[in-house]
Amino acid sequence: MTCDPGRMTEFEVAPARLLQTALGRIRRQTQYRRPLERGGRAAAGIEALLAQAADCVAALARPRAVFVPVRADWTTAGDLRLSDLFTLTAGDIGLPPARGGSVTAYLLTLGFSQADAFARLNGDYAAQHVQTDLSSEVLFALGREAFGVQQAQARGRLRRVSIRTSDICGASRLWDAGRVQALIGQFGAANPGVSVTSAGCFQPLHSLIGLTIEAPPEG
Amino acid sequence: MLTEEEKDTLFDAICDGDRETVVELVDKARSGGHDLGALLKDTMIPAMAAVGDQFSAGEIFVPEMLVAARAMQGGIDIIEPILAASDHEPLARVCIGSVKGDLHDIGKNLVVMMLKGAGFEVEDLGVDVPNEAFAAAADRGHQVICLSALLTTTKPQMLSVVNYLKEAGKTVKVVIGGAVVTQDYADKIGADAFGEDAPGAVKAVKRALGMAN
């Protein structure tokens, strides 16, 4: 995988490798680790659910990461005007005021819907729940892999700005769905089928969008 | 017939998530002409209630509850068609869905499992459910409508559903839950009850129906 700064980059990652990482991480989550450590029937049942969920994700997922450069105009106050779409303040970005730098938008998705997964799991609610937990970890694994590649290609320091359109525990640093829709529009034909509801919910559910800001190389 | 010892084993098998044993014992009860409605009510539902209590007390985690619910479902799959063919009535008919704009199903699915495990007949409307679909469920005879929202941005949709049902003249009970929902919010929008977690949702449905305090 290569990521050429300043150009649209797209990669698809084989689910198997991401799943291996994701399964390791989910087993370290307290809610899974503790009962697995306790052993017995419950642990065996959880292992079976994890295996079922992993099979489902392996069969359905087409993990893809797309990076597109976005025209960015920086104000003296450190605010950022993106492709004449909208302005982001330092607070929106969640970082101290930046002093310029190139901006790339990223879009990550596993490429399958919850409905597809539920059908594949034959309507098994327990397996669907574990699939959802596991898919979150697979998505994060995809993100780490994609950013690792991007970082390796970057000439300056790379800062990642995740965008959250909605939150389960507060409303800080949330972007409204309209701005996210506008940003999704920047991907054009490279968008691997990701959309957002008016309430800010991604479809497919296991998708993420955000920005990376590459600081100018220190001279 | 199952012996008292076998009923205790069935209870423990549900709590431990031992689906194989649950299926084996329920199948034995069916073959032996056991009153399956009584077995469900006196042994299996209390077992799932105990699992819910353990979860609410922080003694077990969600995955353990899932495994228990799945074991319970193994038994219900045998019992349900038999009871459906008889005069047996479920505790009540409940429908559930994630509100319009919310595509998350994780909390809703847990509640579906716990409600089924408590003896309710549950219709799952899925995610991104429009107000009209909830009203139609009321018309189909559901006594309770459970609304799930996981996001700060979809929570206000719950008020929209409550108002829609009121304006449409539906007398169905409304129970709400989800990570962003509180009892204060339930009171504010005029919901009949609030469930703080999946076992709590079962209690909330019972409260809404006047089956519990």
Side-chain angles (χ1 to χ4, degrees):
Chain A
M1 277 189 306
T2 59
C3 183
D4 186 358
R7 301 178 70 175
M8 194 278 285
T9 309
E10 181 179 3
F11 31 99
E12 190 168 332
V13 184
R17 191 171 68 243
L18 299 176
L19 266 169
Q20 200 175 2
T21 306
L23 282 165
R25 290 180 74 95
I26 206 169
R27 285 197 172 93
R28 290 197 292 278
Q29 287 181 14
T30 304
Q31 61 167 341
Y32 286 91
R33 180 173 51 81
R34 291 269 179 82
L36 288 173
E37 283 171 354
R38 279 199 278 266
R41 286 284 189 176
I46 292 168
E47 286 290 3
L49 286 172
L50 283 169
Q52 201 178 345
D55 282 348
C56 174
V57 175
L60 297 178
R62 285 196 65 199
R64 290 172 85 179
V66 185
F67 292 83
V68 294
V70 180
R71 203 184 80 232
D73 300 310
W74 295 87
T75 70
T76 50
D79 293 345
L80 183 58
R81 179 86 187 149
L82 282 182
S83 292
D84 286 330
L85 291 171
F86 47 80
T87 300
L88 300 171
T89 65
D92 287 327
I93 301 169
L95 294 169
R99 296 182 182 181
S102 58
V103 177
T104 301
Y106 64 80
L107 189 56
L108 310 174
T109 185
L110 298 191
F112 68 91
S113 72
Q114 287 292 91
D116 290 342
F118 196 50
R120 180 156 187 106
L121 293 167
N122 298 316
D124 184 329
Y125 283 101
Q128 174 77 345
H129 185 102
V130 176
Q131 175 275 125
T132 306
D133 284 348
L134 184 62
S135 290
S136 295
E137 288 291 352
V138 173
L139 183 65
F140 297 146
L142 171 66
R144 284 190 295 273
E145 184 145 337
F147 296 122
V149 172
Q150 199 190 17
Q151 181 69 72
Q153 306 285 327
R155 289 181 294 260
R157 184 177 163 224
L158 205 62
R159 296 192 295 188
R160 194 183 338 162
V161 182
S162 61
I163 294 174
R164 301 165 83 175
T165 54
S166 53
D167 205 326
I168 58 169
C169 53
S172 62
R173 283 186 53 201
L174 296 184
W175 291 32
D176 66 80
R179 287 204 289 192
V180 174
Q181 272 161 347
L183 193 56
I184 285 177
Q186 295 293 295
F187 289 84
N191 179 353
V194 177
S195 60
V196 65
T197 70
S198 57
C201 202
F202 284 110
Q203 191 162 25
L205 188 64
H206 293 289
S207 304
L208 279 177
I209 193 167
L211 301 172
T212 54
I213 301 172
E214 183 181 340
E218 289 176 17
Chain B
M1 293 288 284
L2 293 188
T3 64
E4 288 306 308
E5 194 180 343
E6 284 171 325
K7 283 192 253 179
D8 287 347
T9 303
L10 176 59
F11 185 100
D12 290 343
I14 290 169
C15 293
D16 294 343
D18 181 356
R19 185 183 169 107
E20 206 173 290
T21 301
V22 172
V23 170
E24 185 187 315
L25 286 171
V26 173
D27 201 39
K28 185 179 177 186
R30 180 181 58 84
S31 316
H34 200 106
D35 180 346
L36 294 177
L39 187 67
L40 185 66
K41 183 169 169 278
D42 300 335
T43 303
M44 297 173 69
I45 289 173
M48 266 320 284
V51 170
D53 289 344
Q54 282 181 296
F55 174 77
S56 295
E59 292 165 12
I60 61 169
F61 293 91
V62 167
E64 290 161 296
M65 194 161 66
L66 293 175
V67 171
R70 201 187 204 199
M72 174 79 174
Q73 190 60 45
I76 289 176
D77 288 345
I78 297 169
I79 293 174
E80 211 168 46
I82 295 163
L83 293 185
S86 70
D87 292 335
H88 181 85
E89 284 292 318
L91 215 47
R93 297 185 68 209
V94 179
C95 86
I96 185 168
S98 297
V99 296
K100 183 78 185 156
D102 202 321
L103 303 178
H104 292 90
D105 61 1
I106 198 158
K108 168 188 73 63
N109 290 348
L110 268 177
V111 174
V112 170
M113 282 186 278
M114 294 307 287
L115 284 171
K116 285 186 173 179
F120 290 97
E121 184 182 308
V122 184
E123 182 183 1
D124 181 3
L125 300 179
V127 298
D128 195 21
V129 179
N131 296 356
E132 296 82 358
F134 287 117
D139 291 338
R140 287 195 297 277
H142 290 289
Q143 295 141 281
V144 181
I145 290 174
C146 295
L147 307 177
S148 173
L150 201 72
L151 308 174
T152 48
T153 48
T154 53
K155 189 171 79 166
Q157 187 62 28
M158 289 177 153
L159 173 61
S160 171
V161 178
V162 169
N163 287 341
Y164 187 90
L165 292 172
K166 272 185 197 158
E167 284 163 18
K170 312 297 177 195
T171 53
V172 66
K173 302 290 184 188
V174 177
V175 172
I176 67 170
V180 290
V181 182
T182 61
Q183 180 65 57
D184 282 350
Y185 186 70
D187 295 341
K188 186 178 159 191
I189 68 169
D192 294 286
F194 157 70
E196 70 279 8
D197 56 19
V202 173
K203 291 173 184 164
V205 167
K206 287 182 176 175
R207 277 199 309 276
L209 290 167
M211 295 173 177
N213 294 321

